[in-house]
Amino acid sequence: MSEAGVTADGAVLCERRGAAGFITLNRPKALNALTLEMVRAMRAALDAWAADPAVTRVVVQGAGERAFCAGGDIRRIHEEGSAGKFEEAQTFFREEYELNALIQRYPKPYVALIDGIVMGGGVGVSLHGSHRVAAERTAFAMPETGIGFFPDVGATYALPRLPGFVGTYLALTGERIGQGDVLAFGLGSHAAPAARFDAIRDALSEGGPVEAAIGHHDAPAPGPLHAERALIESCFSADSVGQVLARLDAAGSDFARKSAATIRTRSPTSLTLALAQMRRGASLSFPQAMQLEYRILCRILRGHDFYEGVRSVLIDRDGKPDWRPATLEAVQASDIEAHFAPMPGEPSFT
């Protein structure tokens, strides 16, 4: 990060306004997707502001109206891994996870102003902060099982703590939810219209109490997912993905049929990993959850489905991934367990 608080390519803008440190993710054409340079710029700013008594709160936002942040730069990671450059790919994720852990333990109020898409890496730099202000265009998802990956950036910790196995539903299906459900399930802490964000920024800069600066704005009614919470708990509390599907099939509602159909398009390995994650994550501390994710990440980068999923969804866009194995029944329990095994010299994320 330069002295002006801007990355060399302008992808992150870091500046102090009054009492607030502002971080703006500034790749609107790429939906503000995170690069390693962006992660490092955010880390440098947060470290500096944590030690600066003149900065009493941090504000994170995305440029443009389409997205807060749609995730990490998956195409670049795909290129590195496909070329066997696993260390380069691992470096991005390790430093991203270290940033997530810093945000989760940050000593000052951390306010994410969320409007538009917030997925993957965008969840990691917003969900774990103290204040998560969701505007009307908020669209939250963790769609990783659809590209042969897994819900990371702290999802191992956060999703199992949502009520009624909603986190397991989000992890397996990757479906988007809007502002109402984001707030109803605690993924957002405050509601505010995007038209009020400028006034909120000004108030935060002035240095008054953070809650007063955000203000009270009426939250919308819970969204459609909230209405399905009893069915979700009944189906997604099952002990295996196969049992989840069987319960959804037996339920027979439109929501159940759609959920089952979506799950059946996802990577069988990713689905089985994600369910195991959700069950383990409920008893882990945040650093332990991040360490577990790093273990999974290192194994997935050396597998098949991530590269095939990115090819199918983001590169060729043919919607015809060749998952290996192709069925849930063919996924070996020992292969799943191997993803969770400790690694020599692994980071601690404390």
Side-chain angles (χ1 to χ4, degrees), residues 71-98:
D73 192 348
I74 293 296
R75 285 176 178 268
R76 181 173 178 179
I77 296 160
H78 180 273
E79 292 171 1
E80 291 173 345
S82 297
K85 298 178 180 179
F86 300 123
E87 293 299 327
E88 287 90 336
Q90 286 172 207
T91 295
F92 169 79
F93 284 103
R94 187 190 71 250
E95 295 195 28
E96 182 186 29
Y97 296 175
E98 288 170 346

mmCIF file of all heavy atoms in Angstrom, residues 71-98:
data_model
loop_
_atom_site.group_PDB
_atom_site.id
_atom_site.type_symbol
_atom_site.label_atom_id
_atom_site.label_comp_id
_atom_site.label_asym_id
_atom_site.label_seq_id
_atom_site.Cartn_x
_atom_site.Cartn_y
_atom_site.Cartn_z
ATOM 1 N N GLY A 71 -16.355 -12.073 -3.764
ATOM 2 C CA GLY A 71 -15.507 -13.205 -3.415
ATOM 3 C C GLY A 71 -14.045 -12.933 -3.689
ATOM 4 O O GLY A 71 -13.612 -11.776 -3.781
ATOM 5 N N GLY A 72 -13.296 -14.013 -3.844
ATOM 6 C CA GLY A 72 -11.891 -13.905 -4.189
ATOM 7 C C GLY A 72 -11.700 -14.002 -5.691
ATOM 8 O O GLY A 72 -12.630 -14.319 -6.443
ATOM 9 N N ASP A 73 -10.482 -13.739 -6.134
ATOM 10 C CA ASP A 73 -10.166 -13.784 -7.556
ATOM 11 C C ASP A 73 -9.953 -15.248 -7.957
ATOM 12 O O ASP A 73 -8.830 -15.727 -8.116
ATOM 13 C CB ASP A 73 -8.920 -12.943 -7.834
ATOM 14 C CG ASP A 73 -8.697 -12.702 -9.310
ATOM 15 O OD1 ASP A 73 -9.360 -13.357 -10.130
ATOM 16 O OD2 ASP A 73 -7.841 -11.864 -9.655
ATOM 17 N N ILE A 74 -11.071 -15.962 -8.125
ATOM 18 C CA ILE A 74 -11.024 -17.406 -8.338
ATOM 19 C C ILE A 74 -10.334 -17.777 -9.638
ATOM 20 O O ILE A 74 -9.626 -18.788 -9.719
ATOM 21 C CB ILE A 74 -12.453 -17.995 -8.292
ATOM 22 C CG1 ILE A 74 -13.027 -17.880 -6.880
ATOM 23 C CG2 ILE A 74 -12.472 -19.442 -8.746
ATOM 24 C CD1 ILE A 74 -12.288 -18.679 -5.840
ATOM 25 N N ARG A 75 -10.503 -16.982 -10.670
ATOM 26 C CA ARG A 75 -9.853 -17.297 -11.943
ATOM 27 C C ARG A 75 -8.329 -17.349 -11.797
ATOM 28 O O ARG A 75 -7.671 -18.252 -12.344
ATOM 29 C CB ARG A 75 -10.229 -16.260 -13.008
ATOM 30 C CG ARG A 75 -11.644 -16.422 -13.554
ATOM 31 C CD ARG A 75 -11.952 -15.298 -14.530
ATOM 32 N NE ARG A 75 -13.264 -15.428 -15.118
ATOM 33 C CZ ARG A 75 -13.529 -16.046 -16.263
ATOM 34 N NH1 ARG A 75 -12.528 -16.602 -16.929
ATOM 35 N NH2 ARG A 75 -14.745 -16.111 -16.740
ATOM 36 N N ARG A 76 -7.788 -16.379 -11.066
ATOM 37 C CA ARG A 76 -6.336 -16.360 -10.887
ATOM 38 C C ARG A 76 -5.880 -17.561 -10.070
ATOM 39 O O ARG A 76 -4.853 -18.185 -10.379
ATOM 40 C CB ARG A 76 -5.920 -15.055 -10.207
ATOM 41 C CG ARG A 76 -4.428 -14.932 -9.992
ATOM 42 C CD ARG A 76 -4.062 -13.554 -9.481
ATOM 43 N NE ARG A 76 -2.642 -13.436 -9.218
ATOM 44 C CZ ARG A 76 -2.060 -12.326 -8.788
ATOM 45 N NH1 ARG A 76 -2.795 -11.243 -8.580
ATOM 46 N NH2 ARG A 76 -0.760 -12.291 -8.559
ATOM 47 N N ILE A 77 -6.629 -17.896 -9.047
ATOM 48 C CA ILE A 77 -6.283 -19.060 -8.227
ATOM 49 C C ILE A 77 -6.368 -20.334 -9.053
ATOM 50 O O ILE A 77 -5.524 -21.233 -8.949
ATOM 51 C CB ILE A 77 -7.202 -19.129 -7.001
ATOM 52 C CG1 ILE A 77 -6.958 -17.908 -6.102
ATOM 53 C CG2 ILE A 77 -6.990 -20.417 -6.216
ATOM 54 C CD1 ILE A 77 -8.085 -17.614 -5.147
ATOM 55 N N HIS A 78 -7.378 -20.409 -9.915
ATOM 56 C CA HIS A 78 -7.526 -21.549 -10.818
ATOM 57 C C HIS A 78 -6.310 -21.679 -11.729
ATOM 58 O O HIS A 78 -5.779 -22.785 -11.937
ATOM 59 C CB HIS A 78 -8.803 -21.368 -11.645
ATOM 60 C CG HIS A 78 -9.080 -22.454 -12.622
ATOM 61 N ND1 HIS A 78 -8.558 -22.457 -13.898
ATOM 62 C CD2 HIS A 78 -9.826 -23.590 -12.519
ATOM 63 C CE1 HIS A 78 -8.966 -23.532 -14.548
ATOM 64 N NE2 HIS A 78 -9.745 -24.234 -13.723
ATOM 65 N N GLU A 79 -5.857 -20.542 -12.252
ATOM 66 C CA GLU A 79 -4.684 -20.561 -13.132
ATOM 67 C C GLU A 79 -3.437 -21.036 -12.394
ATOM 68 O O GLU A 79 -2.667 -21.853 -12.915
ATOM 69 C CB GLU A 79 -4.449 -19.168 -13.712
ATOM 70 C CG GLU A 79 -5.522 -18.717 -14.696
ATOM 71 C CD GLU A 79 -5.373 -17.256 -15.076
ATOM 72 O OE1 GLU A 79 -4.417 -16.611 -14.590
ATOM 73 O OE2 GLU A 79 -6.228 -16.759 -15.833
ATOM 74 N N GLU A 80 -3.238 -20.533 -11.178
ATOM 75 C CA GLU A 80 -2.059 -20.921 -10.413
ATOM 76 C C GLU A 80 -2.089 -22.401 -10.069
ATOM 77 O O GLU A 80 -1.095 -23.118 -10.254
ATOM 78 C CB GLU A 80 -1.974 -20.078 -9.133
ATOM 79 C CG GLU A 80 -1.654 -18.611 -9.392
ATOM 80 C CD GLU A 80 -1.743 -17.756 -8.145
ATOM 81 O OE1 GLU A 80 -2.321 -18.221 -7.137
ATOM 82 O OE2 GLU A 80 -1.228 -16.629 -8.175
ATOM 83 N N GLY A 81 -3.228 -22.879 -9.580
ATOM 84 C CA GLY A 81 -3.324 -24.278 -9.208
ATOM 85 C C GLY A 81 -3.215 -25.200 -10.395
ATOM 86 O O GLY A 81 -2.568 -26.266 -10.325
ATOM 87 N N SER A 82 -3.827 -24.809 -11.515
ATOM 88 C CA SER A 82 -3.750 -25.641 -12.720
ATOM 89 C C SER A 82 -2.320 -25.781 -13.212
ATOM 90 O O SER A 82 -1.950 -26.805 -13.809
ATOM 91 C CB SER A 82 -4.621 -25.033 -13.833
ATOM 92 O OG SER A 82 -5.982 -25.019 -13.465
ATOM 93 N N ALA A 83 -1.505 -24.759 -12.953
ATOM 94 C CA ALA A 83 -0.102 -24.786 -13.357
ATOM 95 C C ALA A 83 0.786 -25.436 -12.307
ATOM 96 O O ALA A 83 2.012 -25.450 -12.456
ATOM 97 C CB ALA A 83 0.382 -23.367 -13.641
ATOM 98 N N GLY A 84 0.166 -25.965 -11.254
ATOM 99 C CA GLY A 84 0.947 -26.607 -10.200
ATOM 100 C C GLY A 84 1.589 -25.626 -9.232
ATOM 101 O O GLY A 84 2.428 -26.025 -8.413
ATOM 102 N N LYS A 85 1.197 -24.364 -9.302
ATOM 103 C CA LYS A 85 1.759 -23.355 -8.403
ATOM 104 C C LYS A 85 0.939 -23.312 -7.112
ATOM 105 O O LYS A 85 0.290 -22.319 -6.773
ATOM 106 C CB LYS A 85 1.771 -21.981 -9.088
ATOM 107 C CG LYS A 85 2.631 -21.934 -10.345
ATOM 108 C CD LYS A 85 2.569 -20.556 -10.998
ATOM 109 C CE LYS A 85 3.421 -20.499 -12.252
ATOM 110 N NZ LYS A 85 3.347 -19.164 -12.902
ATOM 111 N N PHE A 86 0.975 -24.412 -6.387
ATOM 112 C CA PHE A 86 0.125 -24.541 -5.200
ATOM 113 C C PHE A 86 0.542 -23.579 -4.098
ATOM 114 O O PHE A 86 -0.300 -23.062 -3.362
ATOM 115 C CB PHE A 86 0.157 -25.981 -4.680
ATOM 116 C CG PHE A 86 -0.333 -26.988 -5.685
ATOM 117 C CD1 PHE A 86 0.472 -28.044 -6.075
ATOM 118 C CD2 PHE A 86 -1.590 -26.880 -6.244
ATOM 119 C CE1 PHE A 86 0.030 -28.972 -6.999
ATOM 120 C CE2 PHE A 86 -2.058 -27.793 -7.174
ATOM 121 C CZ PHE A 86 -1.239 -28.851 -7.559
ATOM 122 N N GLU A 87 1.834 -23.322 -3.956
ATOM 123 C CA GLU A 87 2.300 -22.423 -2.905
ATOM 124 C C GLU A 87 1.754 -21.014 -3.105
ATOM 125 O O GLU A 87 1.358 -20.347 -2.138
ATOM 126 C CB GLU A 87 3.832 -22.393 -2.866
ATOM 127 C CG GLU A 87 4.473 -23.709 -2.442
ATOM 128 C CD GLU A 87 4.069 -24.132 -1.044
ATOM 129 O OE1 GLU A 87 3.854 -23.241 -0.181
ATOM 130 O OE2 GLU A 87 3.954 -25.341 -0.805
ATOM 131 N N GLU A 88 1.709 -20.557 -4.367
ATOM 132 C CA GLU A 88 1.173 -19.226 -4.654
ATOM 133 C C GLU A 88 -0.309 -19.159 -4.290
ATOM 134 O O GLU A 88 -0.769 -18.190 -3.673
ATOM 135 C CB GLU A 88 1.366 -18.874 -6.124
ATOM 136 C CG GLU A 88 2.803 -18.554 -6.511
ATOM 137 C CD GLU A 88 3.583 -19.778 -6.955
ATOM 138 O OE1 GLU A 88 3.209 -20.912 -6.559
ATOM 139 O OE2 GLU A 88 4.575 -19.604 -7.695
ATOM 140 N N ALA A 89 -1.047 -20.180 -4.670
ATOM 141 C CA ALA A 89 -2.475 -20.200 -4.357
ATOM 142 C C ALA A 89 -2.699 -20.268 -2.849
ATOM 143 O O ALA A 89 -3.574 -19.585 -2.299
ATOM 144 C CB ALA A 89 -3.143 -21.371 -5.050
ATOM 145 N N GLN A 90 -1.911 -21.084 -2.169
ATOM 146 C CA GLN A 90 -2.047 -21.208 -0.715
ATOM 147 C C GLN A 90 -1.723 -19.895 -0.018
ATOM 148 O O GLN A 90 -2.319 -19.571 1.013
ATOM 149 C CB GLN A 90 -1.131 -22.317 -0.193
ATOM 150 C CG GLN A 90 -1.637 -23.710 -0.503
ATOM 151 C CD GLN A 90 -0.634 -24.796 -0.149
ATOM 152 O OE1 GLN A 90 -0.652 -25.857 -0.747
ATOM 153 N NE2 GLN A 90 0.235 -24.553 0.813
ATOM 154 N N THR A 91 -0.784 -19.139 -0.564
ATOM 155 C CA THR A 91 -0.423 -17.853 0.045
ATOM 156 C C THR A 91 -1.618 -16.923 0.069
ATOM 157 O O THR A 91 -1.886 -16.257 1.083
ATOM 158 C CB THR A 91 0.744 -17.203 -0.723
ATOM 159 O OG1 THR A 91 1.911 -18.028 -0.587
ATOM 160 C CG2 THR A 91 1.041 -15.809 -0.187
ATOM 161 N N PHE A 92 -2.365 -16.860 -1.035
ATOM 162 C CA PHE A 92 -3.547 -16.009 -1.051
ATOM 163 C C PHE A 92 -4.515 -16.408 0.059
ATOM 164 O O PHE A 92 -4.969 -15.568 0.840
ATOM 165 C CB PHE A 92 -4.270 -16.084 -2.399
ATOM 166 C CG PHE A 92 -5.624 -15.424 -2.370
ATOM 167 C CD1 PHE A 92 -5.744 -14.045 -2.446
ATOM 168 C CD2 PHE A 92 -6.785 -16.177 -2.204
ATOM 169 C CE1 PHE A 92 -6.983 -13.427 -2.388
ATOM 170 C CE2 PHE A 92 -8.034 -15.568 -2.144
ATOM 171 C CZ PHE A 92 -8.130 -14.192 -2.239
ATOM 172 N N PHE A 93 -4.826 -17.688 0.146
ATOM 173 C CA PHE A 93 -5.811 -18.124 1.128
ATOM 174 C C PHE A 93 -5.300 -17.965 2.557
ATOM 175 O O PHE A 93 -6.052 -17.558 3.443
ATOM 176 C CB PHE A 93 -6.213 -19.577 0.861
ATOM 177 C CG PHE A 93 -7.142 -19.724 -0.308
ATOM 178 C CD1 PHE A 93 -6.669 -20.187 -1.522
ATOM 179 C CD2 PHE A 93 -8.476 -19.382 -0.200
ATOM 180 C CE1 PHE A 93 -7.520 -20.324 -2.611
ATOM 181 C CE2 PHE A 93 -9.342 -19.506 -1.280
ATOM 182 C CZ PHE A 93 -8.858 -19.977 -2.491
ATOM 183 N N ARG A 94 -4.028 -18.262 2.795
ATOM 184 C CA ARG A 94 -3.504 -18.101 4.153
ATOM 185 C C ARG A 94 -3.618 -16.654 4.597
ATOM 186 O O ARG A 94 -4.090 -16.366 5.708
ATOM 187 C CB ARG A 94 -2.044 -18.559 4.217
ATOM 188 C CG ARG A 94 -1.499 -18.573 5.652
ATOM 189 C CD ARG A 94 -0.004 -18.788 5.703
ATOM 190 N NE ARG A 94 0.741 -17.632 5.224
ATOM 191 C CZ ARG A 94 1.434 -17.582 4.084
ATOM 192 N NH1 ARG A 94 1.471 -18.628 3.281
ATOM 193 N NH2 ARG A 94 2.078 -16.493 3.727
ATOM 194 N N GLU A 95 -3.219 -15.724 3.734
ATOM 195 C CA GLU A 95 -3.271 -14.314 4.116
ATOM 196 C C GLU A 95 -4.715 -13.808 4.189
ATOM 197 O O GLU A 95 -5.034 -12.957 5.026
ATOM 198 C CB GLU A 95 -2.429 -13.479 3.154
ATOM 199 C CG GLU A 95 -0.950 -13.838 3.240
ATOM 200 C CD GLU A 95 -0.040 -12.812 2.592
ATOM 201 O OE1 GLU A 95 -0.415 -11.617 2.531
ATOM 202 O OE2 GLU A 95 1.057 -13.208 2.140
ATOM 203 N N GLU A 96 -5.589 -14.322 3.337
ATOM 204 C CA GLU A 96 -7.006 -13.968 3.439
ATOM 205 C C GLU A 96 -7.581 -14.460 4.761
ATOM 206 O O GLU A 96 -8.304 -13.724 5.452
ATOM 207 C CB GLU A 96 -7.782 -14.586 2.278
ATOM 208 C CG GLU A 96 -9.266 -14.229 2.294
ATOM 209 C CD GLU A 96 -10.062 -14.952 1.227
ATOM 210 O OE1 GLU A 96 -9.685 -16.082 0.841
ATOM 211 O OE2 GLU A 96 -11.076 -14.400 0.783
ATOM 212 N N TYR A 97 -7.268 -15.692 5.149
ATOM 213 C CA TYR A 97 -7.768 -16.238 6.408
ATOM 214 C C TYR A 97 -7.187 -15.490 7.603
ATOM 215 O O TYR A 97 -7.875 -15.278 8.607
ATOM 216 C CB TYR A 97 -7.447 -17.729 6.521
ATOM 217 C CG TYR A 97 -8.117 -18.623 5.493
ATOM 218 C CD1 TYR A 97 -7.808 -19.980 5.432
ATOM 219 C CD2 TYR A 97 -9.043 -18.125 4.579
ATOM 220 C CE1 TYR A 97 -8.413 -20.813 4.501
ATOM 221 C CE2 TYR A 97 -9.646 -18.957 3.650
ATOM 222 C CZ TYR A 97 -9.327 -20.298 3.610
ATOM 223 O OH TYR A 97 -9.922 -21.122 2.690
ATOM 224 N N GLU A 98 -5.914 -15.072 7.510
ATOM 225 C CA GLU A 98 -5.327 -14.264 8.580
ATOM 226 C C GLU A 98 -6.059 -12.927 8.705
ATOM 227 O O GLU A 98 -6.278 -12.431 9.816
ATOM 228 C CB GLU A 98 -3.840 -14.048 8.301
ATOM 229 C CG GLU A 98 -2.996 -15.306 8.499
ATOM 230 C CD GLU A 98 -1.571 -15.171 8.006
ATOM 231 O OE1 GLU A 98 -1.278 -14.200 7.262
ATOM 232 O OE2 GLU A 98 -0.741 -16.040 8.341
#
